[in-house]
């Protein structure tokens, strides 16, 4: 289907079903129960899952296939965001032009950055992209304030021109919409103790993510994708066969930059404000973490990694000492206190520590990320037929 | 003329910090071939060594002073640091006052120990893995170290003052024969520069004039041959990692009076230091030092009002701009050696 083979079609359909049913799947615990804090089925978080999923899918096309480690991808996300918000200020609050323009502008910007950065490879490439991203960040904060809003950032205002929209009533706030369907609007469905939220913005982002995912499968399976893999495994040999690697790597760089711009545009569509801090280099580091954690060079890995990190960021950081005391309340008092003090550094504000440790463990012991972990577990259960040891289905093994 | 001297002086202290961190990074890269993203965290840990020592020195117990009364008329409770009990009041308060310089003695063994543990415990296993993996695992380590410090010391900057004798500024211009009050320079910054110069000199002298240093240099040039000669180069490289950690740590210790340490100061410096290393040339020690000072001074020139009037925002991006230009025109950096990190 859609030019995919059977396995990929199955994977795509599986992802589509998971994404469509996410409001149910991520809300397994009834409202008000003790476990309700682990529910992730609220719109804001679900939107972040898919948007960062797109960001990570794009990053994976560059890093996973060509092996070029960019430390500056957040710059493209930021540029895309700024482009989208200007569309909303000048043209219309409809998200379609905003998203399209953000992709195009991020693509042009990444073409310029990639053109220069790809003259070098290895650590030099990482440093060059990092330098470009930090430059964009500093400029957005200082000199470019008229365009970027500096520290306060940008948001649509009532009296912005917006040529295509009619004038807004005084006091009304401009809201992002898709032909009149507001992104923030959601349909709530209460069943028993459960409350499921179906958010328009989430489903828009989810559809975009499915398209992005489909395109990444096509790229992975195409001759172009094979060339990118060749760049990763041995660029010199590629050169000796008379092929110039630069156009391929540059194309991969621009594609992944456009994915980042798409994520930035969607971010603005969901939450109509932009600040320069989303271009800071830690944001670039975050997408690296996502890809590695999920599994570099695999199809589904980056999405998993993005989901895992955003889930931890939102859920772990909400847990505080009182909740911990509740959990361990069944223990005798002394042991309860000891347990709480042992666990406490890893949750709440310390969730970064957990993230760092998990990340290190993954890099050390599981270079293929969660996907490789899943494959290893699957292989344990499949021991009976050792002859069938090939790639077991949905993903290509990582390096 | 005065303005130029002033900007050069302003650039020196930042440049010294860049140079020290970049020197450590290059030592690690040149010996072990590892790209260490946790080096900024070592700088930060050094700074927190100073914080820790000054806290240890001011550990105190409360006594009731009958000769003084507080505003309610009760006898005043006074906190007396233990050092004052042991060494008498004058010596004790002097020791507390000099906590930051004393931390140097405290930081050296601590940092060498941390460096050796890091190398033996983690980085050793990454020699054979690609550079990307090394970057990633040390990046993770940096996050972990940073968060541990944040957990114990909090997220706010902790002011750690210089000794009273070095507070304030002096009129450097008058010493050179310019009009007074034009070039005013804080004492501590000149001390930081002198300190950095001493450390850099010591590292170079160690590598140049000792047998140990000679073996290390030989190992940097051709590791296999040195091993074939029956020398255990790994052990020496491990110690060099410790020394590199100590250099970064000392840079952090002495930087505390200039900028109150907080848990993310390492990351802020790391990004810039990497740029410095790349500009200087991967694996070149003199290159790292020269590029550190060069970029520090360029940065302070770019933040002059006259320059900003022509090119606004230049001070924010000058370092990255220079790095991009240098990488594109001189791919090996200013003093890069042939064959180092050329894929």
């Amino acid at each position: 289907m859609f030019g995919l083979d059977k396995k990929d079609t199955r994977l795509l359909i599986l992802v589509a079903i998971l994404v469509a049913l996410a409001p149910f799947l991520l809300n397994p615990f009834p409202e008000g129960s003790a476990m309700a804090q682990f529910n992730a089925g609220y719109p804001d978080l679900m939107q972040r899952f898919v948007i960062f999923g797109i960001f990570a899918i794009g990053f994976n096309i560059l890093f996973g296939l060509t092996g070029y480690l960019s430390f500056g991808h957040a710059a493209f996300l930021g540029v895309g965001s700024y482009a989208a918000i200007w569309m909303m200020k000048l043209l219309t609050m409809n998200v379609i032009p905003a998203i399209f323009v953000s992709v195009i502008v991020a693509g042009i910007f990444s073409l310029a950055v990639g053109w220069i950065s790809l003259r070098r490879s290895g650590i030099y490439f990482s440093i060059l992209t990092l330098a470009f991203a930090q430059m964009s960040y500093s400029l957005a904060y200082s000199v470019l304030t008229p365009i970027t809003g500096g520290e306060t950032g940008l948001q649509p205002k009532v009296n912005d021109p917006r040529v295509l929209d009619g004038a807004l009533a005084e006091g009304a706030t401009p809201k992002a919409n898709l032909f009149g369907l507001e992104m923030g609007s959601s349909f709530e469905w209460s069943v028993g103790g459960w409350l499921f939220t179906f958010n328009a913005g989430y489903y828009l982002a989810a559809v975009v993510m499915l398209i992005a995912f489909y395109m990444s499968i096509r790229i992975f399976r195409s001759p172009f994708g094979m060339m990118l893999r060749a760049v990763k495994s041995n660029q010199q040999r590629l050169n000796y066969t008379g092929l110039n690697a630069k156009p391929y790597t540059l194309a991969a760089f621009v594609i992944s930059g456009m994915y980042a711009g798409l994520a930035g545009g969607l971010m603005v569509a969901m939450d109509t404000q932009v600040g320069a801090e989303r271009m800071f280099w830690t944001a670039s580091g975050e997408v690296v973490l996502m890809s590695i954690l999920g599994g570099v060079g695999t199809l589904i890995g980056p999405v998993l990694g993005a989901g895992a990190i955003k889930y931890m960021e939102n859920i772990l950081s909400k847990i505080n000492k009182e909740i911990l005391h509740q959990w361990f309340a069944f223990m005798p008092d002394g042991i309860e206190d000891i347990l709480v003090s042992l666990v406490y550094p890893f949750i709440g504000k310390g969730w970064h520590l957990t993230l760092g440790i998990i990340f290190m463990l993954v890099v050390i012991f599981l270079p293929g990320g969660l996907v490789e972990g899943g494959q290893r577990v699957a292989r344990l259960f499949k021991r009976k037929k050792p002859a069938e040891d090939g790639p077991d289905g949905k993903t290509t093994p990582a390096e | 003329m005065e303005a130029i001297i002033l900007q050069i002086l302003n650039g020196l202290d930042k440049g010294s910090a860049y140079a020290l961190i970049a020197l450590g990074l290059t030592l690690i890269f040149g010996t072990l071939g590892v790209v260490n993203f946790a080096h900024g965290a070592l700088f930060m840990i050094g700074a927190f060594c100073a914080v820790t020592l000054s806290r240890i020195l001011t550990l105190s117990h409360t006594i009731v002073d009958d000769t003084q009364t507080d505003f309610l008329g009760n006898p005043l409770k006074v906190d007396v640091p233990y050092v004052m009990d042991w060494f008498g009041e004058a010596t004790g308060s002097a020791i507390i006052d000099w906590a930051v310089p004393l931390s140097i003695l405290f930081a050296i063994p601590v940092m060498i120990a941390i460096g050796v543990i890091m190398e033996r415990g983690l980085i050793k296993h990454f020699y054979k893995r690609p550079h990307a993996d090394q970057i990633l695992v040390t990046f993770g380590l940096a996050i972990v170290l940073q968060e541990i410090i944040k957990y114990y010391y909090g997220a706010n900057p902790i002011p750690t003052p210089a000794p009273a004798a070095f507070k304030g500024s002096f009129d450097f211009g008058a010493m050179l024969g310019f009009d007074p009050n034009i070039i005013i320079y804080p004492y501590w910054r000149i001390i930081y520069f002198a300190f950095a110069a001493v450390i850099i000199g010591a590292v170079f002298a160690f590598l140049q004039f000792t047998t140990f240093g000679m073996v290390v240099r030989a190992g940097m040039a051709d590791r296999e041959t040195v091993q074939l000669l029956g020398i255990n180069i790994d052990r020496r490289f491990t110690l060099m990692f410790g020394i590199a950690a100590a250099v970064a740590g000392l840079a952090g210790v002495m930087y505390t009076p200039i900028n109150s340490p907080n848990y993310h100061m390492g990351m802020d410096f790391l990004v810039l230091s990497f740029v410095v290393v790349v500009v200087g040339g991967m694996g070149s020690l003199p290159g790292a030092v020269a590029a550190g000072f060069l970029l520090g001074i360029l940065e302070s020139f770019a933040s002059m009002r006259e320059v900003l009037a022509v090119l606004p925002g230049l001070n924010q991006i000058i370092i990255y701009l220079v790095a991009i230009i240098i990488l594109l025109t001189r791919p090996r950096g200013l003093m890069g050696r042939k064959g180092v990190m050329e894929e």
Side-chain angles (χ1 to χ4, degrees):
Chain A
M1 197 167 63
F2 310 127
L4 299 179
D5 64 19
K6 226 175 178 179
K7 261 186 284 178
D8 291 335
T9 316
R10 223 185 301 150
L11 176 67
L12 183 64
I13 291 175
L14 181 73
V15 171
I17 292 173
L18 286 180
V19 165
L21 296 182
F24 296 107
L25 297 173
L26 294 176
N27 249 4
F29 307 111
E31 211 62 16
S33 70
M35 300 298 276
Q37 59 209 343
F38 290 107
N39 280 345
Y42 53 95
D44 182 49
L45 184 54
M46 289 194 298
Q47 288 165 5
R48 245 178 268 183
F49 283 161
V50 284
I51 291 174
F52 279 92
I54 295 172
F55 191 20
I57 289 172
F59 182 78
N60 188 42
I61 290 176
L62 179 70
F63 181 46
L65 288 181
T66 67
Y68 277 76
L69 174 57
S70 157
F71 251 95
H73 252 55
F76 308 128
L77 184 113
V79 167
S81 294
Y82 283 121
I85 199 97
W86 274 107
M87 275 299 113
M88 289 192 172
K89 280 167 103 61
L90 298 178
L91 203 61
T92 165
M93 286 304 287
N94 195 333
V95 294
I96 298 286
I99 290 172
F100 267 103
V101 170
S102 67
V103 173
I104 292 164
V105 171
I108 294 169
F109 185 59
S110 59
L111 182 67
V113 172
W115 179 258
I116 298 175
S117 306
L118 282 166
R119 284 159 183 253
R120 312 302 319 280
S121 56
I123 171 120
Y124 293 100
F125 173 79
S126 303
I127 299 284
L128 274 174
T129 47
L130 179 62
F132 274 112
Q134 283 296 87
M135 257 169 72
S136 325
Y137 167 76
S138 308
L139 287 178
Y141 248 117
S142 56
V143 190
L144 296 179
T145 303
I147 306 174
T148 62
E151 279 178 50
T152 41
L154 286 177
Q155 51 269 330
K157 298 220 170 62
V158 177
N159 48 1
D160 285 327
R162 265 192 291 283
V163 229
L164 291 185
D165 293 1
L168 275 170
E170 196 58 43
T173 41
K175 290 191 175 123
N177 61 62
L178 178 71
F179 303 113
L181 175 66
E182 271 177 22
M183 289 292 105
S185 65
S186 35
F187 167 69
E188 291 187 345
W189 185 31
S190 190
V191 190
W194 284 268
L195 179 70
F196 301 114
T197 317
F198 304 92
N199 175 265
Y202 166 71
Y203 278 104
L204 174 73
V207 168
V208 175
M209 192 206 62
L210 285 177
I211 297 170
F213 187 61
Y214 168 72
M215 281 170 53
S216 105
I217 300 181
R218 290 303 297 265
I219 290 173
F220 267 65
R221 301 288 178 246
S222 66
F224 171 68
M226 288 301 286
M227 289 302 292
L228 296 183
R229 288 211 181 96
V231 170
K232 182 178 187 174
S233 56
N234 196 336
Q235 192 166 356
Q236 220 162 19
R237 194 177 289 172
L238 197 65
N239 291 338
Y240 287 159
T241 51
L243 284 159
N244 185 4
K246 177 89 184 270
Y248 293 99
T249 47
L250 185 60
F253 192 87
V254 172
I255 290 172
S256 77
M258 287 164 87
Y259 268 80
L262 177 65
L266 277 173
M267 258 183 203
V268 172
M270 301 304 131
D271 182 12
T272 50
Q273 52 184 352
V274 186
E277 70 283 343
R278 69 178 57 162
M279 299 167 85
F280 195 54
W281 74 273
T282 47
S284 307
E286 201 181 41
V287 73
V288 180
L289 298 187
M290 288 170 183
S291 311
I292 305 285
L293 197 62
V296 169
T298 62
L299 283 169
I300 191 72
V303 187
L304 288 180
I309 286 185
K310 284 294 150 189
Y311 184 80
M312 272 165 58
E313 178 182 335
N314 282 271
I315 306 297
L316 272 188
S317 58
K318 270 197 306 198
I319 303 171
N320 55 26
K321 241 180 188 158
E322 282 70 49
I323 297 175
L324 273 188
H325 275 289
Q326 280 175 22
W327 288 357
F328 295 120
F330 63 93
M331 297 268 188
D333 272 358
I335 299 176
E336 179 187 330
D337 287 343
I338 294 171
L339 275 178
V340 168
S341 60
L342 276 182
V343 176
Y344 183 65
F346 297 99
I347 50 134
K349 284 191 180 134
W351 79 273
H352 269 114
L353 181 59
T354 320
L355 177 64
I357 291 175
I358 292 178
F359 178 68
M360 274 176 72
L361 291 178
V362 165
V363 175
I364 296 171
F365 297 112
L366 208 62
L370 294 176
V371 169
E372 191 190 320
Q375 285 171 350
R376 282 194 196 173
V377 173
R379 217 169 296 155
L380 274 185
F381 288 109
K382 272 196 202 164
R383 269 284 154 78
K384 283 172 193 165
K385 290 182 280 180
E388 230 180 30
D389 198 25
D392 56 347
K394 50 186 180 180
T395 44
T396 51
E399 286 297 297
Chain B
M1 186 62 202
E2 291 89 347
I4 292 174
I5 292 180
L6 185 63
Q7 294 312 327
I8 290 178
L9 285 175
N10 280 340
L12 281 184
D13 61 311
K14 260 208 161 156
S16 314
Y18 295 155
L20 283 177
I21 301 175
L23 181 69
L25 271 175
T26 311
L27 271 181
I28 292 174
F29 184 77
T31 51
L32 300 167
V34 170
V35 182
N36 182 18
F37 254 57
H39 209 68
L42 293 172
F43 175 76
M44 179 224 17
I45 290 178
F48 277 89
C49 279
V51 173
T52 311
L53 188 74
S54 71
R55 286 200 177 166
I56 292 175
L57 288 179
T58 48
L59 272 184
S60 49
H61 58 106
T62 314
I63 58 163
V64 179
D65 189 348
D66 289 325
T67 57
Q68 289 168 291
T69 52
D70 62 9
F71 64 99
L72 287 174
N74 300 322
L76 187 65
K77 286 179 180 163
V78 198
D79 287 338
V80 180
Y82 285 109
V83 270
M84 286 202 191
D85 283 354
W86 299 335
F87 299 103
E89 197 151 322
T91 328
S93 60
I95 289 177
I96 292 173
D97 189 31
W98 283 71
V100 171
L102 282 176
S103 311
I104 296 173
L105 299 177
F106 173 64
I108 291 176
V110 171
M111 294 310 296
I112 290 184
I114 289 177
V116 170
I117 292 171
M118 231 173 103
E119 202 273 338
R120 286 289 92 182
L122 178 70
I123 299 195
K124 184 178 81 174
H125 307 289
F126 276 79
Y127 295 152
K128 298 266 160 63
R129 308 259 297 253
H131 281 302
D133 278 8
Q134 297 169 355
I135 293 178
L136 294 171
V137 78
T138 47
F139 183 58
L141 181 67
I143 296 176
V144 170
L145 290 175
Q146 188 171 313
E147 290 300 314
I148 291 174
I149 291 289
K150 180 178 158 195
Y151 181 72
Y152 284 107
Y153 292 88
N156 296 324
I158 303 167
T160 317
F166 298 123
K167 275 182 192 152
S169 318
F170 67 110
D171 199 334
F172 193 73
M175 288 164 68
L176 295 178
F178 295 115
D179 295 333
N181 291 328
I182 291 182
I183 304 178
I184 305 283
Y185 201 62
Y187 282 113
W188 188 260
R189 299 198 170 199
I190 205 88
I191 287 175
Y192 192 81
F193 170 64
F195 175 78
V198 168
I199 294 281
I200 292 167
V203 169
F204 276 90
F206 179 71
L207 287 176
Q208 214 67 34
F209 301 125
T210 62
T211 319
F212 188 98
M214 188 184 72
V215 174
V216 168
R217 276 187 295 131
M220 283 167 86
D222 190 343
R223 184 180 182 144
E224 257 174 41
T225 313
V226 175
Q227 274 174 326
L228 287 177
L229 290 171
I231 295 171
N232 186 350
I233 192 74
D234 288 345
R235 230 178 53 211
R236 288 175 167 78
F237 279 177
T238 306
L239 190 64
M240 284 317 286
F241 195 103
I243 290 174
V247 169
L250 291 180
V253 166
M254 295 296 275
Y255 207 71
T256 48
I258 298 178
N259 226 340
S260 305
N262 55 16
Y263 71 99
H264 55 75
M265 70 188 294
M267 284 290 188
D268 301 345
F269 266 92
L270 175 82
V271 176
L272 288 170
S273 306
F274 253 105
V275 175
V276 167
V277 170
V278 171
V279 168
M282 248 13 231
S284 157
L285 295 173
V289 173
F293 283 111
L294 180 76
L295 289 179
I297 291 169
L298 271 180
E299 195 182 8
S300 76
F301 268 107
S303 41
M304 281 168 76
R305 209 175 305 134
E306 292 84 349
V307 178
L308 286 181
V310 185
L311 292 164
L314 186 67
N315 56 339
Q316 309 271 344
I317 58 165
I318 176 87
I319 289 191
Y320 304 113
L321 210 58
V322 171
I324 289 168
I325 294 170
I326 292 217
L327 275 189
L328 294 180
T329 51
R330 288 185 59 91
R332 263 180 225 134
L334 288 176
M335 302 185 187
R337 285 184 295 150
K338 194 172 185 240
V340 176
M341 276 299 286
E342 293 187 347
E343 286 87 45

